[in-house]
Amino acid sequence: MLSITEENYLKALFRLTCEEVGKTDAGTNEIAAQLDVKPATASDMLRKLKEKKLIEYEKYGKSMLTRRGKKMAMEIVRKHRLWETFLYEKLGFTWDEVHEVAEQLEHIQSQKLIERLNTFLGNPKYDPHGDLIPQADGEFKLIEKKTLNDIAEGETCLVVGVSDNSAEFLQYVDGLSIAIHRPLKVVSRKPFDAILEIEVKGKRSAISARLADHIFVSREVKKAAKM
Amino acid sequence: MLSITEENYLKALFRLTCEEVGKTDAGTNEIAAQLDVKPATASDMLRKLKEKKLIEYEKYGKSMLTRRGKKMAMEIVRKHRLWETFLYEKLGFTWDEVHEVAEQLEHIQSQKLIERLNTFLGNPKYDPHGDLIPQADGEFKLIEKKTLNDIAEGETCLVVGVSDNSAEFLQYVDGLSIAIHRPLKVVSRKPFDAILEIEVKGKRSAISARLADHIFVSREVKKAAKM
DNA sequence: AAGTTTTGTTAGATTAGTCTAACTTTAATA
DNA sequence: TATTAAAGTTAGACTAATCTAACAAAACTT
Ligand SMILES: [Mn+2]
Ligand SMILES: [Mn+2]
Ligand SMILES: [Mn+2]
Ligand SMILES: [Mn+2]
C-alpha cells in the first residue's frame, strides 16, 4: 500500500499531465512546485516511484504515469471528488470549503467506503467545481472546456467549472452570483479594455478577460431539469 | 496540532482510564500493548506527551490524562463514534465493519466537518456498538453496564452494547440475532454447566457465561419507539 | 561556440516514529 | 531480607520524508 505522500505525488503528476490538454509528461521542478516541496525532495521520490513501476522516469528526464500509476492516481482523484460532493451536497459546505477537507479524506483506505459513498450520492458525474469524477472502472475522458472568453456578445451559456480553486477566487465569483450549472449571459465586451459585462440571475457585473479565462462554460444552456 | 500518532496515544490512555471503571491511570506496558508498539516506543512518547502537558507522568510511574489531554482524547473518541454511526446508518455498513474505517476517519481535522456530521446524523447519543458518543461540550458520563449474567431466569432485557469489538465476536453474536436495542430473553440457566439459554426474535440459542459477560444490557425493555 | 541561466541531482543533516538489546527500578516471593 | 521477576528506560540503529548547499546537465542567448 502507498503512503499518503506517495499518493500525493501520483495525484500531482495526474493533474499535471492527464488533466492538462496537450501535455504528456512533467518536469521535476513542476512536480515539486505542485506539491510545495523542494526539487531535491521530489527528485528522490521520483526515483522511488520509478522503482515501484508507478511512473516512467530517467535521470534528468521528464516523468509520466505508467498504466498502473495512472489507475492509482485516478482512484485518488475519484475519492477526492466524491468527498467534495458529499461535503457540498449532504453537509452544506460551500464551494470554496470542500477542497481542503477532501485533501485529507481522499487518503482513507476502504474500497467498500468509496463504493457505498458513490451510491449514497447517486453516482454523481461531476464534483461541486464542475470537475469530472473518474468512474470506478477507470473511465475518465477529459473534456476540453470553453472559457467565458469564447462566448460571443449577447450569447447565454452555462457555467460548468473553474480553473482556479483558491478560496479567494471562489468567494469572488460567488459574489458575482456565478455558480456551477447556472446560466450566464455575456452582455457586452469592451475589447480595448479587455473587460466583459455579464449578467447572472438578473445581476450585472464587469469582469476582466483574465478572470473570464478561469471560468469554464458550455455553449448550450441546459433545459431545466425535470422534477 | 497533534500528529496522528500522538492522537492515538491519547485515545489509548482515555480508553484505559476514563472508560474503565475503577481505574485512574495506566502503566507504560499496558499503553504499549493497547497501541501494538513496544514498551520502549511508548516510554519515549509518554515523555513527549508530558512535555506538551497532555498527560501526567513521572519516570517509572503511571500515566493519566491532564484536563487538556482528556478534552482532546474525548474529541477523537467523539469523531470515531460519529463516523461509525455514519457508516452504519447512512452507508449500510455492518456492526463489525465500521471500527476499522473509523480508525482512519477519526483523524480528519475539521471542526466544521464534525459539527455538520453530527447534525446530519441527528445528534446521536450512541454509536452502533451502543457506546456513548461524547458531546461537543465535553459532556460524557460513563454508565456502569450490566451484563447478560446479571439477568435472572425468565427476564427480558435490552441489549445496549458489547465489550468485544472484534469482527469474529460481532459476527458470532449477529448469527444469534443479537443486536443493539433489541429485546433478549434469558429462558433458562444451567449453573452447573455455566450455560444460558436465550431467545431473540423468537430464535433460541445456548451461550456460555463467558460470552454472556461481553454483552451489555439494561434491565427494562424500552417501549416500542413511536413512528 | 562560449557563456549564462534553468533544471535537476547528490550528499549530508534533521525530525518523527519505530525497533532491539542492554540496563535500571520497582514489585513480588521465597 | 535477599533473590527473582516484572515493569520501565536508555542507547543506538533504521526508515520515510523533508531541507540546504554544492554540484552537474540541459537549454537558451548572444
Ligand atoms: Mn479539490
Ligand atoms: Mn473539485
Ligand atoms: Mn470503534
Ligand atoms: Mn464503537
Side-chain angles (χ1 to χ4, degrees):
Chain A
M1 221 192 16
L2 300 184
S3 70
I4 289 179
T5 307
E6 290 170 321
E7 289 199 341
N8 281 334
Y9 276 85
L10 292 186
K11 188 177 54 139
L13 194 46
F14 182 82
R15 304 225 51 179
L16 288 172
T17 58
C18 307
E19 291 206 312
E20 216 54 58
V21 286
K23 208 148 174 311
T24 57
D25 51 24
T28 305
N29 285 357
E30 210 178 346
I31 295 167
Q34 178 84 17
L35 289 161
D36 204 20
V37 298
K38 301 294 168 189
T41 308
S43 198
D44 245 25
M45 181 59 90
L46 291 174
R47 197 176 27 68
K48 191 171 144 196
L49 291 174
K50 177 209 163 82
E51 290 307 308
K52 295 198 177 187
K53 298 199 197 306
L54 293 166
I55 68 170
E56 277 167 50
Y57 160 76
E58 294 303 331
K59 228 161 93 166
Y60 293 106
K62 305 278 181 184
S63 301
M64 67 190 330
L65 293 164
T66 59
R67 182 191 300 268
R68 234 181 100 233
K70 185 174 174 182
K71 181 153 174 291
M72 302 194 83
M74 244 166 57
E75 273 163 24
I76 302 156
V77 172
R78 172 171 161 79
K79 288 197 275 182
H80 180 100
R81 292 181 182 168
L82 281 172
W83 279 116
E84 284 191 343
T85 306
F86 170 73
L87 295 172
Y88 184 80
E89 297 284 338
K90 302 293 182 180
L91 299 192
F93 275 61
T94 58
W95 210 10
D96 56 297
E97 292 169 333
V98 298
H99 179 79
E100 188 189 339
V101 183
E103 286 289 307
Q104 299 178 61
L105 287 163
E106 71 190 1
H107 301 293
I108 303 291
Q109 300 291 346
S110 166
Q111 199 53 51
K112 185 164 206 160
L113 173 60
I114 208 64
E115 278 165 28
R116 295 288 176 99
L117 187 63
N118 176 58
T119 304
F120 185 62
L121 297 171
N123 207 338
K125 294 282 165 292
Y126 300 94
D127 80 4
H129 305 105
D131 295 313
L132 201 59
I133 300 172
Q135 296 303 297
D137 53 26
E139 202 51 58
F140 181 80
K141 23 182 192 319
L142 182 56
I143 306 154
E144 201 167 339
K145 288 170 175 170
K146 291 182 177 43
T147 76
L148 211 41
N149 285 321
D150 301 319
I151 305 301
E153 238 181 33
E155 258 192 88
T156 297
C157 58
L158 197 74
V159 178
V160 297
V162 293
S163 62
D164 180 343
N165 280 334
S166 69
E168 301 76 45
F169 178 82
L170 294 175
Q171 278 164 18
Y172 184 71
V173 299
D174 228 49
L176 306 174
S177 296
I178 292 172
I180 295 286
H181 300 142
R182 187 172 286 177
L184 181 157
K185 182 175 181 180
V186 176
V187 179
S188 66
R189 291 176 168 282
K190 322 259 152 94
F192 178 73
D193 208 22
I195 277 184
L196 295 80
E197 195 180 2
I198 60 167
E199 186 179 316
V200 189
K201 283 191 125 185
K203 179 175 172 187
R204 293 210 172 181
S205 332
I207 64 170
S208 71
R210 201 190 59 75
L211 190 138
D213 209 46
H214 287 290
I215 298 173
F216 294 128
V217 297
S218 73
R219 189 88 24 113
E220 314 101 285
V221 175
K222 251 194 221 149
K223 293 150 207 121
K226 293 203 189 81
M227 303 277 299
Chain B
M1 219 191 18
L2 300 184
S3 70
I4 290 178
T5 308
E6 290 169 322
E7 289 197 342
N8 282 332
Y9 276 85
L10 292 186
K11 189 177 53 139
L13 195 45
F14 182 82
R15 305 225 50 180
L16 288 172
T17 56
C18 306
E19 290 206 312
E20 216 55 57
V21 287
K23 207 147 176 308
T24 57
D25 51 23
T28 304
N29 285 357
E30 208 178 349
I31 295 167
Q34 177 85 13
L35 289 161
D36 204 20
V37 298
K38 302 294 166 190
T41 308
S43 197
D44 244 24
M45 182 59 90
L46 292 174
R47 198 178 25 70
K48 191 171 146 197
L49 291 174
K50 178 209 163 84
E51 289 307 307
K52 294 198 177 187
K53 298 196 198 308
L54 294 166
I55 68 170
E56 277 167 49
Y57 160 78
E58 293 305 332
K59 228 160 92 166
Y60 294 104
K62 306 277 182 188
S63 301
M64 68 189 329
L65 293 164
T66 61
R67 181 191 298 270
R68 233 180 101 233
K70 185 173 174 183
K71 182 154 175 288
M72 304 195 82
M74 244 167 56
E75 274 164 23
I76 301 157
V77 173
R78 172 170 160 78
K79 288 197 275 182
H80 180 100
R81 293 182 181 168
L82 281 172
W83 280 116
E84 284 190 344
T85 306
F86 170 73
L87 296 172
Y88 184 80
E89 296 284 338
K90 302 293 181 177
L91 300 192
F93 275 62
T94 58
W95 212 9
D96 57 296
E97 292 169 332
V98 298
H99 179 78
E100 188 190 339
V101 182
E103 285 290 307
Q104 299 177 61
L105 286 164
E106 71 190 3
H107 301 293
I108 302 292
Q109 300 291 346
S110 167
Q111 200 53 51
K112 185 164 207 162
L113 173 58
I114 207 64
E115 278 165 27
R116 295 290 176 98
L117 187 63
N118 176 57
T119 305
F120 185 63
L121 298 171
N123 207 339
K125 295 282 163 291
Y126 300 94
D127 81 3
H129 305 104
D131 296 313
L132 202 58
I133 300 173
Q135 295 305 294
D137 54 26
E139 203 51 58
F140 181 81
K141 23 182 191 318
L142 182 56
I143 307 155
E144 201 166 339
K145 289 169 175 171
K146 291 181 175 45
T147 76
L148 211 41
N149 285 322
D150 301 317
I151 304 302
E153 239 182 29
E155 258 192 89
T156 297
C157 59
L158 196 73
V159 178
V160 297
V162 293
S163 63
D164 180 343
N165 280 334
S166 69
E168 301 75 45
F169 179 82
L170 294 175
Q171 278 163 19
Y172 184 70
V173 297
D174 227 49
L176 307 174
S177 297
I178 293 173
I180 295 286
H181 300 141
R182 187 172 285 176
L184 182 156
K185 183 174 181 180
V186 175
V187 179
S188 65
R189 292 176 167 283
K190 323 258 151 93
F192 178 73
D193 207 22
I195 276 183
L196 294 80
E197 195 181 1
I198 60 166
E199 184 178 317
V200 190
K201 283 193 125 183
K203 181 176 171 186
R204 293 208 173 182
S205 333
I207 65 171
S208 71
R210 201 191 59 75
L211 190 138
D213 210 47
H214 287 290
I215 298 174
F216 295 129
V217 298
S218 74
R219 188 92 19 118
E220 313 102 288
V221 176
K222 250 194 221 151
K223 293 149 205 123
K226 294 204 188 78
M227 304 276 299

